[in-house]
């Protein structure tokens, strides 16, 4: 962040890359990974359920992770991968985006990872529940992580197998496989299925999605690793090495004293509640995370956690020479091409010219307001800050749009 090397892959967790020993070190290195990871209640619970199951102490044999686009599924799988390795458990990793159905079957890949070769499961038809159970039983304790399984099944539909296709064989396999996993006491399957229609591709993929859900849904437990109220601490942990909590509390109390005097606190929220929210999100004002996550995050193209991380990292980089006490929506520099791009790509390129004429251009309306307030106020850029805040409040993939006068104040 400090060097401005803010490529998308920095925030894009990839289970297969971790499994292959590649990709950013903060995902590969377990110590670094857990230092940068905020352990949500859902993730903590998931790791505990896995530990019990793999030790033969009961628990769900099959867990499905379902979250919105960019909601932490893969991050949870990587956490499970690292913990299982530390526990000395056998781990199988299946990533539907990495496997080519013309060359690799799911059952063949599982055998290869567990035995080092493909002998029993070399054909294009699945081996049957008993053979599967035998292989899995001999490999216990065993954790199987399956990511992007819908993507693999969709690709498999183009591979012919007799009078059928490989997608149909995958569905038959998943039926036998889940039954085999359930029958063993130290075997756990964790798989992901998307909830966003954006990831379902087309009608045939939608049909496959429902078929996969029906098969796994017979015996699975659905977990959500991240709750909305945990987003602020997750983002803060990823973007800042540390925060001076005493200094943060002092700044927040000063702000709250002022906000109470001027009646600026959001209606219906007590001072103590707003202070708790601010302490969790600091150095961002709570509205920054809230507007990005709930309004911009409701666009189908916006990867909620990852999209917010990427955008805020650009904002931090643009403000690193600044001495402001905390970051507000009005501090987003829309004249910065990268920051503007991250927002405009979700609402359409026509807004580039709107932003220029209203906010960032030399003759923009907001700039005229900045100057009209007089020399005493010019350094504060009130017109530009208010217009920027209005812009950020104005868009949503849902119904909630716009800002009140109190929001702007």
């Amino acid at each position: 962040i400090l060097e401005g090397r803010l490529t998308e892959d920095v925030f894009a967790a990839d289970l297969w890359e971790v499994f292959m020993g590649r990709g950013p070190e903060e995902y590969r290195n377990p110590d670094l990974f857990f230092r940068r990871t905020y352990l949500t209640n859902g993730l903590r619970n998931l790791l505990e359920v896995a530990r019990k199951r793999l030790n033969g102490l009961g628990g769900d044999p099959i867990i499905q992770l379902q979250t919105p686009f960019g909601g932490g599924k893969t991050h949870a799988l990587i956490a499970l991968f690292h913990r299982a390795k530390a526990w000395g458990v056998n781990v199988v990793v299946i990533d539907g985006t990495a496997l080519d159905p013309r060359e690799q079957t799911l059952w063949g890949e599982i055998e290869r990872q567990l035995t080092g070769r493909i002998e029993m499961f070399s054909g294009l038809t699945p081996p049957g529940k008993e053979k599967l159970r035998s292989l899995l039983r001999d490999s216990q304790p065993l954790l199987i992580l399956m990511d992007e399984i819908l993507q693999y099944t969709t690709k498999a539909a183009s591979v012919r197998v007799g009078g059928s296709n490989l997608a149909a064989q995958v569905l038959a396999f998943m039926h036998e496989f889940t039954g085999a996993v359930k029958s063993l006491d130290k075997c756990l399957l964790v798989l992901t299925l998307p909830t966003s229609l954006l990831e379902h591709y087309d009608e045939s993929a939608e049909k496959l999605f429902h078929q996969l859900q029906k098969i796994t849904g017979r015996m699975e437990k659905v977990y959500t690793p991240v709750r909305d109220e945990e987003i602020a601490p997750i983002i803060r942990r990823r973007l800042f090495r540390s925060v001076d909590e005493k200094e943060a509390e002092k700044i927040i109390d000063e702000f709250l004293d002022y906000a109470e005097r001027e009646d600026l606190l959001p209606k219906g929220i007590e001072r103590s509640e707003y202070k708790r929210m601010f302490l969790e999100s600091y150095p961002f004002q709570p509205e920054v995370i809230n507007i990005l996550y709930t309004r911009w995050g409701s666009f189908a193209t916006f990867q909620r956690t990852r999209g917010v991380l990427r955008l805020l990292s650009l904002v931090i980089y643009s403000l690193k020479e600044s001495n402001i006490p905390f970051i507000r929506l009005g501090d987003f520099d829309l004249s910065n091409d990268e920051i503007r791009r991250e927002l405009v790509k979700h609402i359409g390129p026509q807004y580039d010219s709107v932003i220029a004429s209203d906010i960032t251009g030399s003759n923009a309306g907001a700039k005229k307001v900045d100057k009209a307030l007089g020399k005493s106020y010019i350094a504060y850029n009130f017109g530009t800050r208010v217009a920027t805040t209005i812009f950020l409040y104005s868009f949503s993939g849902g119904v909630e749009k716009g800002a009140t006068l109190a929001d702007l104040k």
Side-chain angles (χ1 to χ4, degrees):
I1 290 169
L2 290 175
E3 293 170 14
R5 293 186 290 107
L6 302 164
T7 53
E8 195 71 58
D9 66 302
V10 173
F11 301 113
D14 188 321
L15 176 66
W16 187 257
E17 287 295 291
V18 171
F19 175 63
M20 298 298 286
R22 302 185 302 235
E25 195 191 355
E26 67 175 48
Y27 293 114
R28 279 185 291 119
N29 180 323
D31 294 333
L32 192 54
F33 175 82
F34 283 109
R35 264 208 313 278
R36 300 268 173 89
T37 296
Y38 176 81
L39 281 179
T40 62
N41 286 331
L43 187 51
R44 214 185 294 269
N45 186 28
L46 181 62
L47 292 170
E48 180 56 21
V49 167
R51 186 190 66 77
K52 283 184 175 173
R53 177 74 190 170
L54 295 166
N55 280 302
L57 301 173
D60 305 303
I62 297 159
I63 292 172
Q64 186 194 136
L65 299 180
Q66 259 201 8
T67 68
F69 200 26
K73 298 187 295 283
T74 308
H75 206 87
L77 292 179
I78 293 171
L80 283 164
F81 175 83
H82 285 313
R83 279 286 157 86
K85 288 288 187 185
W87 296 331
V89 169
N90 285 319
V91 184
V92 166
V93 171
I94 301 292
D95 183 335
T97 61
L99 300 180
D100 183 345
R102 291 165 301 185
E103 298 172 7
Q104 298 152 294
T105 60
L106 298 183
W107 44 95
E109 182 60 21
I110 289 169
E111 185 188 12
R112 187 190 69 75
Q113 289 188 28
L114 290 175
T115 67
R117 58 193 179 278
I118 304 175
E119 286 180 351
M120 294 190 297
F121 302 169
S122 58
L124 287 177
T125 52
K129 184 177 167 181
E130 278 308 309
K131 278 188 178 178
L132 270 169
R133 189 182 186 281
S134 176
L135 175 67
L136 301 179
R137 184 195 62 221
D138 295 344
S139 305
Q140 291 188 102
L142 173 62
L143 172 66
I144 303 121
L145 303 173
M146 287 189 158
D147 199 12
E148 304 288 1
I149 221 62
L150 175 61
Q151 190 151 339
Y152 178 88
T153 313
T154 305
K155 291 187 291 186
S158 64
V159 179
R160 301 304 302 168
V161 181
S164 177
N165 63 32
L166 189 58
Q169 303 300 321
V170 169
L171 294 173
F173 165 74
M174 289 302 290
H175 196 279
E176 294 157 0
F177 185 55
T178 50
V181 168
K182 193 186 178 189
S183 71
L184 299 165
D185 63 347
K186 291 185 181 178
C187 188
L188 172 64
L189 167 63
V190 182
L191 73 155
T192 70
L193 285 173
T195 56
S196 165
L197 289 177
L198 186 79
E199 295 175 289
H200 295 181
Y201 310 112
D202 58 21
E203 280 182 33
S204 60
E206 186 94 23
K207 189 179 172 190
L208 288 171
F209 170 74
H210 291 301
Q211 287 173 301
L212 279 168
Q213 253 198 332
K214 191 175 177 184
I215 291 162
T216 57
R218 292 176 304 129
M219 54 193 80
E220 49 137 41
K221 181 81 174 278
V222 177
Y223 278 78
T224 303
V226 178
R227 295 203 311 268
D228 283 359
E229 61 268 27
E230 294 172 309
I231 287 302
I234 288 170
I235 285 166
R236 189 169 90 159
R237 178 72 61 91
R238 286 299 302 280
L239 296 176
F240 295 95
R241 188 177 291 129
S242 63
V243 171
D244 184 335
E245 300 290 351
K246 277 191 177 172
E247 181 69 10
E249 189 162 11
K250 183 176 153 218
I251 288 167
I252 290 166
D253 280 334
E254 278 179 20
F255 169 76
L256 288 170
D257 290 344
Y258 173 78
E260 277 190 321
R261 279 199 311 274
E262 300 292 329
D263 194 26
L264 297 181
L265 285 179
K267 294 289 175 255
I269 295 184
E270 294 292 322
R271 175 182 172 133
S272 58
E273 175 64 7
Y274 191 83
K275 180 176 176 178
R276 182 193 64 75
M277 289 160 53
F278 208 154
L279 282 167
E280 284 183 352
S281 64
Y282 186 88
F284 302 106
Q285 210 174 2
E287 289 79 4
V288 172
I289 310 280
N290 184 42
I291 291 298
L292 291 182
Y293 192 73
T294 60
R295 295 204 190 181
W296 289 84
S298 61
F299 284 109
T301 49
F302 196 96
Q303 292 187 306
R304 295 178 89 188
T305 311
R306 194 187 309 166
V308 174
L309 282 168
R310 160 91 175 142
L311 180 55
L312 289 180
S313 64
L314 291 166
V315 170
I316 294 163
Y317 180 67
S318 75
L319 293 168
K320 68 184 171 94
E321 304 301 330
S322 165
N323 62 354
I324 54 173
F326 50 84
I327 299 170
R328 305 154 293 187
L329 287 165
D331 294 314
F332 285 39
D333 181 5
L334 296 178
S335 66
N336 179 305
D337 191 51
E338 283 195 283
I339 292 172
R340 192 173 66 257
R341 276 278 68 68
E342 283 296 310
L343 295 163
V344 168
K345 68 185 180 186
H346 306 293
I347 56 176
Q350 68 272 24
Y351 282 99
D352 269 325
S353 57
V354 176
I355 292 167
S357 65
D358 277 356
I359 305 172
T360 60
S362 55
N363 290 315
K367 294 287 184 280
K368 289 175 184 169
V369 173
D370 290 341
K371 290 170 188 163
L373 292 172
K375 286 184 180 175
S376 304
Y377 296 104
I378 197 115
Y380 297 107
N381 297 317
F382 282 132
T384 300
R385 288 185 195 284
V386 171
T388 300
T389 306
I390 291 171
F391 169 78
L392 287 162
Y393 265 95
S394 294
F395 294 91
S396 165
V399 292
E400 200 179 3
K401 295 183 180 77
T404 65
L405 191 57
D407 291 332
L408 299 179
K409 285 183 178 176

